[in-house]
Amino acid sequence: MGDSSVNRREFLKTTATGAAAAGIGANIIIPGRSHAAKKTLRILNWVHFVPAYDEWFNKKYAVEWGQKNDTEVTVDNIGIAGVNARAAAEVSAQKGHDLFLFNWPPPSFEEQTVDMKDVYAEIEKKVGKPIDLAIKSTYNPKTKKYYALSPSFTPDPVNYRKDLFGEVGLPNGPRTWDEVRVKGAEIKKKRGNPVGIGLANEIDTAMAMRTIMYSWGAHEQDQAGNLTLKSKQTLDALKFVKALFQETMTDEVFTWDASSNNRAVVSGKVSLVLNAISTTRTAEKENPEMSKQIQLAKALKGPVRAIGLEHVMQCYVIWKFAENKEGAMKFLVDYVTNFRQAFVAGEFYDFPCFEKTVPDLQKLIANDPKGHPPDKYKVLDDVLKWATNVGYPGYATAAIDEIYGTWVLNVMFAKVAAGKASPEDALNEADAACRRIFGKWKEKGLV
Amino acid sequence: MATLGEDLRAPAAGRRFGFVLDRPEWLGPLMIAPAVLYIVAIVGLPFLLALYYSVSDISMGRRTLGFVGLRNFISVVPTPKFQTSLQNTFVFAIVSQVLVIILANILALALLKDFRGKWLVRLLILLPWVAPISLGTIGWLWILDSIYSVINWTLEAVGLITADGWPMYLGKPYLAMGSVITVHVWRLLPLATVIILAGLTSIPKDIHDAAQVDGASFWRHQFQITVPLIRPILLVALLFGLVFAFTDMVVIFVLTRGGPYDTTQVLASLAFFTGIQGGDLAEGAAIAIFLFPLLLAVAIVFLRIARRAEVT
C-alpha cells in the first residue's frame, strides 16, 4: 500500500478525533447545547379499534404537545394481545416507556407504578371529579394507592339488527334479557340468524358474562372485596345462559375472539351482539346498507337490574423507572383536560371518565353525520348510569384481574351452555378457582 | 516504514495464536465456545430464572421474590384446569408427533426420487417452516373461521354440506383439538422431512441394491433396512418434535386460546395466561417447567438410543 493510503486504524483515529473536535467546537460556538438536550417522552398505546384515533393522537396531538412543551414525543402502538407481555418485559428490564396504556385495569403492576393521586387531584381541580367507574378501575383500597389513571372508557351497548327484531315485534330492540332469549329464538327459527354472544376464552365473552351475572345480582365479590361467587343468583345466571345458548345460538360462539362481534354483525350473520361502537363504525365504512340495520340499545334488564360493563378501560400508568415522570404527568393532565378532541377523533368510541371534559357530549352524539339515523348514538347519553367495572360492586383488584385474565368465568359459563357440566358443578369448580386466586393475592398483600 | 521491533513482534503474536490453533485441546473448546455462550445466555439463564421463579412468590409487578419452596406446584397441580391442560398436552404432543413422523417419512421417500419440478416441491414443503409461525397460523384461523372458512365454502359449493350445517372447526372440542394438531403437524412437517431426508440420503445405495437382488419387497426395504439405518436421525427428529409440541403455545394461542371451555388448553398456554395475563408469574413459571423432568428424561433416553444405534 502506498504512502497516500490510510489504514483502518488511522482512519478510526482520524475520524474519532475529528468527531470529538467537532463536538467541542460546537459547544464552544453554541454554549449550553450539550446540557440543554431536548426532553423526551415515550408513550406506548395499544392499536386503537378506530384507526382515526391513532392518526390523530400520534401525528397531531402528541406532536403539537411536544412542540408546546419542548419535548420530543415518541408514540409506539402495539396490538392488544401483546400489552401485558410488553408491560412485563418493561418491568423486568426496568426500562421502557414513560406512559404506558393498558386496555383493562392493571392492578398486579401496582408496585411498579407511580401513585396517580396527585395527577387525579390536579385534573380534578381543572375539570371536576372523575366517575366512579374510573376510580374502581384504578384504585386499590387495601394499599390506598391509585396505581393508574383512567382518562376514558368504552361503553358496551347492545348492537341489534333492527330489521330482524322488527319482524318479531321489537323494532326498537330488546329491553330485557328475557326478550333476547324469546325473540332471539324466534328470529333464529324464522330467519336462521342466531344471537352472537361469545362463550370463548376471550375478552368480549368475559365482559358479556359479567354483564349477565351483574344483571342477575350475581358477583365475583361484594363491595368490601369478599368472594361471593357461589350464590343462588350465579346459579340462575348460569341456567339462563344455558337456555339462551340452546335456544338462540350455535356452536360458533365457542370460537369467538375479539373481532368476532364485528365480523358476525357486519357480515349479516347474527341478530345481536354486545359490543363497543366499533361494530357500527366498521359497518358505516364497509357495509353502509347493513349499517342502517344495526342499531344500538341500552343495557338489558335482568331480574335485578339493567347494567352493562365497560368494553375497554383505558388505564395509563407511569412506571417508577420512567425517565420523564414529570413530563408524563403533565401530558396526562393536558390530555385529560382536552379530552373532547380525543372523543371526537375516536368517533365517540372512548367516553370521558371526567364528565366535564366533553361538555357538549349529548349534543355531539345526538347528531352524528356518519350515523344511520344521525341520532343512532344518542342511546349512549346516560351510559354512566348503567356502565360499570369488572369486579362490581367492588374494585378491580389483582385477584379480580387474574380471574378475568385466566377466563375462569368464561369457562364456567361455556361448560354449562355446552352441557359439559351442570350449573352446580361448574359453579363449584369456578368458586374453588376463585378462592385459590383470592388467597394468593391476599398473601401478596394486594387484596 | 515499520521498525525492526514491530517486525519482530508481529510474528511472535502470530506464533502464539498458531500455538493455540495447533493444539486440539485448545482449538476444540475455542471453536465451540461461541455456541456454548449463546446457549447459556439465551437458553440457560432464562431457564434458571424460570426455575427460581417457580419456587418464589414473584408476581408480574414485583421484582423482589421470596422463596416459597414447592408451594406453587402444590397449589396448582391438583386444580381441574391444570389436570385438563396436562392431559391435553399429552394428546396434542403424542398425536401430532405420530402424524409428523409418518408423513415426514412418506414425504422424504417421495423427495428421494428424481422427478421434474422437485426443487419446487421442496420449496413448497419448506415454506411452513420458513414463514413466521404466527402469520401462518393466522392464515389457518381464516381457513377454519366459522363465517369465512374456505373449506366449508368449498364443501358447500360441491354439495357436501348445507349452509346451516357448516362444521365449527374451532367450536367443537374434538374438531378444535383436531384443528390445532393439524396446524401443528403442518408447521413441523418440513423440519422432520428435511432431517429424515438427510438420513435417507446417507444410506449406501448398494445395501438397497443387494436387497433388491434378493427380492425384498417395499415394506421389507422400509422396515428391515431403511428404518434401522436411519433410527438415530429419526429419534432426533422425534425428540425435536416432542419438545416443540410439549412447550410451544403459538398455534393454540392464535387458534383457540385453550377453548372451547379449556378442551385445547395445554400447559404452555395455561402458563402464559396465568403468568402474563393473570399476573402470577411464579405460578406461571411452575406450570411452564412442570414437564421439564419428563422431557429431560425423554431426551436422555432418546439420545442414548440414538447413540447406541449409531455405534452399532
Side-chain angles (χ1 to χ4, degrees), chain A residues 2-286:
Chain A
D3 285 344
S4 59
S5 65
V6 182
N7 68 28
R8 190 168 161 269
R9 185 173 294 181
E10 281 166 352
F11 173 75
L12 288 173
K13 243 192 240 176
T14 312
T15 49
T17 313
I24 295 164
N27 283 330
I28 294 167
I29 297 163
I30 312 165
R33 177 182 146 160
S34 64
H35 37 84
K38 206 172 183 183
K39 284 177 282 180
T40 59
L41 181 69
R42 295 189 63 201
I43 303 171
L44 186 129
N45 283 357
W46 50 269
V47 179
H48 203 281
F49 289 110
V50 179
Y53 176 88
D54 285 340
E55 190 78 10
W56 165 80
F57 188 94
N58 298 2
K59 294 183 183 165
K60 190 169 188 299
Y61 186 78
V63 173
E64 286 173 2
W65 187 90
Q67 285 162 355
K68 272 183 210 156
N69 292 276
D70 193 27
T71 302
E72 193 178 324
V73 182
T74 314
V75 185
D76 297 316
N77 295 94
I78 58 166
I80 52 165
V83 171
N84 264 30
R86 175 74 203 201
E90 294 200 0
V91 167
S92 180
Q94 292 288 288
K95 203 160 180 59
H97 294 82
D98 300 301
L99 262 179
F100 193 106
L101 179 64
F102 285 86
N103 58 332
W104 71 59
S108 55
F109 286 98
E110 181 180 328
E111 290 178 25
Q112 293 297 319
T113 65
V114 168
D115 193 340
M116 293 285 198
K117 189 180 169 189
D118 294 339
V119 185
Y120 264 116
E122 180 71 18
I123 297 171
E124 203 175 317
K125 264 195 277 175
K126 296 184 175 190
V127 291
K129 282 187 178 301
I131 57 172
D132 189 49
L133 172 55
I135 302 298
K136 289 270 178 65
S137 302
T138 56
Y139 180 69
N140 185 345
K142 166 94 177 174
T143 57
K144 315 242 179 283
K145 177 176 176 177
Y146 290 88
Y147 54 81
L149 182 132
S150 182
S152 61
F153 75 100
T154 305
D156 198 26
V158 176
N159 292 239
Y160 70 95
R161 282 275 299 276
K162 188 179 171 68
D163 53 341
L164 297 177
F165 274 88
E167 278 181 28
V168 294
L170 293 177
N172 295 320
R175 297 281 169 87
T176 67
W177 277 107
D178 211 40
E179 281 179 354
V180 173
R181 187 172 68 81
V182 175
K183 298 297 179 183
E186 226 175 298
I187 293 168
K188 188 184 167 201
K189 203 172 167 189
K190 204 170 159 186
R191 301 294 298 263
N193 298 84
V195 166
I197 294 174
L199 282 165
N201 290 359
E202 54 91 32
I203 52 177
D204 290 344
T205 300
M207 293 303 184
M209 293 305 110
R210 280 167 177 81
T211 299
I212 294 175
M213 274 176 59
Y214 300 167
S215 307
W216 256 252
H219 310 282
E220 304 105 302
Q221 62 177 358
D222 61 19
Q223 206 160 3
N226 302 305
L227 184 66
T228 57
L229 183 69
K230 204 167 174 181
S231 67
K232 184 187 171 301
Q233 288 85 345
T234 309
L235 267 182
D236 290 343
L238 280 163
K239 287 172 188 166
F240 172 78
V241 170
K242 185 180 168 78
L244 185 70
F245 169 74
Q246 287 175 340
E247 292 166 30
T248 72
M249 299 197 250
T250 68
D251 286 340
E252 196 172 351
V253 293
F254 296 122
T255 73
W256 233 237
D257 62 35
S259 61
S260 293
N261 283 335
N262 278 9
R263 280 206 307 277
V265 171
V266 177
S267 68
K269 183 145 192 199
V270 302
S271 62
L272 177 146
V273 296
L274 296 189
N275 204 62
I277 63 164
S278 50
T279 305
T280 47
R281 291 305 189 195
T282 306
E284 282 160 15
K285 290 180 187 93
E286 293 176 8

Side-chain angles (χ1 to χ4, degrees), chain A residues 201 251 256 436 440 444, chain B residues 62-63 75 172 257 280:
Chain A
N201 290 359
D251 286 340
W256 233 237
R436 203 175 67 80
K440 280 192 309 185
K444 291 180 201 284
Chain B
R62 182 176 279 183
R63 297 199 75 229
S75 167
K172 285 275 188 195
R257 294 163 311 284
D280 191 348

Side-chain angles (χ1 to χ4, degrees), chain B residues 66-309:
Chain B
F67 179 74
V68 298
L70 295 176
R71 199 176 66 190
N72 292 316
F73 294 92
I74 293 165
S75 167
V76 76
V77 171
T79 62
K81 210 177 185 78
F82 182 91
Q83 297 290 329
T84 308
S85 304
L86 183 63
Q87 193 182 324
N88 294 338
T89 306
F90 276 93
V91 172
F92 176 71
I94 291 168
V95 175
S96 62
Q97 279 325 291
V98 169
L99 290 172
V100 164
I101 291 297
I102 292 171
L103 294 173
N105 268 297
I106 294 170
L107 266 179
L109 279 174
L111 288 173
L112 209 56
K113 307 277 179 208
D114 279 327
F115 56 89
R116 259 182 96 181
K118 187 173 165 178
W119 66 271
L120 183 68
V121 176
R122 279 191 176 186
L123 179 76
L124 288 175
I125 287 170
L126 275 175
L127 269 183
W129 183 254
V130 179
I133 180 58
S134 47
L135 208 64
T137 313
I138 288 170
W140 276 100
L141 184 64
W142 280 97
I143 291 171
L144 302 167
D145 186 75
S146 57
I147 299 173
Y148 300 109
S149 167
V150 68
I151 300 173
N152 285 347
W153 187 89
T154 311
L155 291 175
E156 192 189 328
V158 297
L160 288 175
I161 56 172
T162 57
D164 55 356
W166 277 31
M168 297 293 161
Y169 297 107
L170 305 175
K172 285 275 188 195
Y174 291 110
L175 283 176
M177 184 53 98
S179 300
V180 293
I181 287 173
T182 303
V183 178
H184 192 71
V185 168
W186 167 83
R187 176 203 185 188
L188 281 190
L189 196 55
L191 178 69
T193 305
V194 169
I195 293 175
I196 292 171
L197 192 59
L200 288 177
T201 50
S202 70
I203 299 175
K205 198 171 179 298
D206 51 356
I207 298 179
H208 279 297
D209 289 344
Q212 193 75 39
V213 171
D214 291 342
S217 66
F218 172 79
W219 297 112
R220 232 162 215 263
H221 271 279
Q222 289 311 307
F223 289 105
Q224 293 195 337
I225 298 172
T226 307
V227 170
L229 284 175
I230 65 164
R231 197 168 63 187
I233 211 156
L234 206 60
L235 284 169
V236 170
L238 188 60
L239 181 62
F240 266 50
L242 273 177
V243 171
F244 238 91
F246 272 112
T247 56
D248 192 63
M249 56 160 261
V250 175
V251 171
I252 284 174
F253 183 76
V254 174
L255 289 185
T256 64
R257 294 163 311 284
Y261 34 91
D262 282 346
T263 50
T264 61
Q265 192 77 271
V266 293
L267 291 185
S269 54
L270 182 64
F272 176 82
F273 287 128
T274 307
I276 302 296
Q277 218 155 274
D280 191 348
L281 217 46
E283 194 172 292
I287 296 167
I289 64 148
F290 180 78
L291 284 179
F292 172 70
L294 177 74
L295 288 178
L296 185 67
V298 169
I300 291 169
V301 170
F302 273 34
L303 291 175
R304 279 198 171 179
I305 296 172
R307 195 174 166 77
R308 207 170 295 155

